Amino acid sequence: MVAVAATAAMALAACSDDAEKTGLLRSAGVEQTATMIASNEKRAAYIAAVQRNAGPDYHFEAVGTWAAARVPAQRLTARLADGALSVEPAAPAAAWSLELRWTGIGRGDDIRPVERPVGGVDVASNRAAYRRTDCIEEWYLAGPRGIDKGFTLTERPAGSSFEIVIELAVHGSLTPSLVADGATVWLRNEHGAVVARYTDLFAHDARGKPLS
């Protein structure tokens, strides 16, 4: 059995948007040196500790088949419904919207649609999760650093390539753009200002060994 958890944190950086755009994020392996992997491992451990120890202000509240949370430090509100994450700024004057929906998983160019969630959202304090019919868990952790989004795989995805790819559909009023480091996505409003970012990707196997 191989378990992989890939985590990304999203944080508010600016405000204002009203354009409607869609896009696609593809999270895949990034070539790294041993020093980079060690540095990323330490950063991931730090982020995980900060997020896990978030207080009740960051707890998800389950309402029927959906759940919602506030992220005071980033001035964000988050909602999980119908298998997708929706994020908006808490301040009414900073009008923008973002929806991330997990749509595909595979290896290399062999990307296949993901299964629909089973039931509603599982909530435990500041953690919320969807479970899929293929036993993959898609989880979220609200905390001071934003919303962590992670995946736990119980087996290798289909395909022959070494590279595992997780595909996300982006909807709302922000436009995604990949940063030169290949591991960070900036989300810009219609004026080109970065209002959110998708970053700090980290993956490990079932034994806790970092994956490059």
Side-chain angles (χ1 to χ4, degrees):
M1 181 180 74
V2 175
V4 179
T7 302
M10 185 170 59
L12 182 67
C15 60
S16 180
D17 196 1
D18 56 15
E20 180 68 20
K21 298 206 170 38
T22 61
L24 203 64
L25 298 183
R26 301 186 73 189
S27 173
V30 177
E31 186 175 352
Q32 299 176 330
T33 66
T35 300
M36 291 171 62
I37 292 173
S39 177
N40 290 346
E41 185 178 7
K42 289 180 180 178
R43 179 169 174 79
Y46 164 73
I47 292 174
V50 171
Q51 296 292 87
R52 279 197 309 266
N53 294 325
D57 286 347
Y58 296 90
H59 285 188
F60 279 94
E61 179 182 359
V63 182
T65 59
W66 57 276
R70 295 185 306 111
V71 186
Q74 302 294 341
R75 300 178 183 177
L76 296 174
T77 61
R79 175 184 168 114
L80 292 170
D82 190 34
L85 168 69
S86 298
V87 181
E88 295 181 348
W96 56 262
S97 63
L98 173 68
E99 180 188 276
L100 296 178
R101 182 180 295 275
W102 184 22
T103 56
I105 187 170
R107 298 167 70 180
D109 294 328
D110 187 2
I111 310 301
R112 306 181 186 190
V114 297
E115 301 289 338
R116 296 287 298 172
V118 178
V121 186
D122 295 330
V123 171
S125 63
N126 66 326
R127 189 182 192 275
Y130 286 117
R131 294 188 181 276
R132 310 275 172 165
T133 55
D134 54 8
C135 298
I136 296 178
E137 183 186 43
E138 174 188 7
W139 53 265
Y140 299 86
L141 198 63
R145 299 194 61 83
I147 302 289
D148 285 354
K149 179 179 177 69
F151 307 90
T152 301
L153 283 58
T154 56
E155 59 184 25
R156 296 178 184 274
S160 57
S161 173
F162 175 78
E163 183 180 68
I164 295 177
V165 176
I166 292 175
E167 187 177 80
L168 304 175
V170 184
H171 301 277
S173 58
L174 303 182
T175 301
S177 61
L178 186 65
V179 180
D181 66 4
T184 301
V185 173
W186 283 342
L187 296 152
R188 300 176 181 273
N189 65 15
E190 64 174 342
H191 305 295
V194 177
V195 300
R197 62 184 182 271
Y198 198 68
T199 186
D200 289 315
L201 177 66
F202 180 77
H204 64 80
D205 64 16
R207 297 165 295 178
K209 181 181 178 181
L211 301 175
S212 60

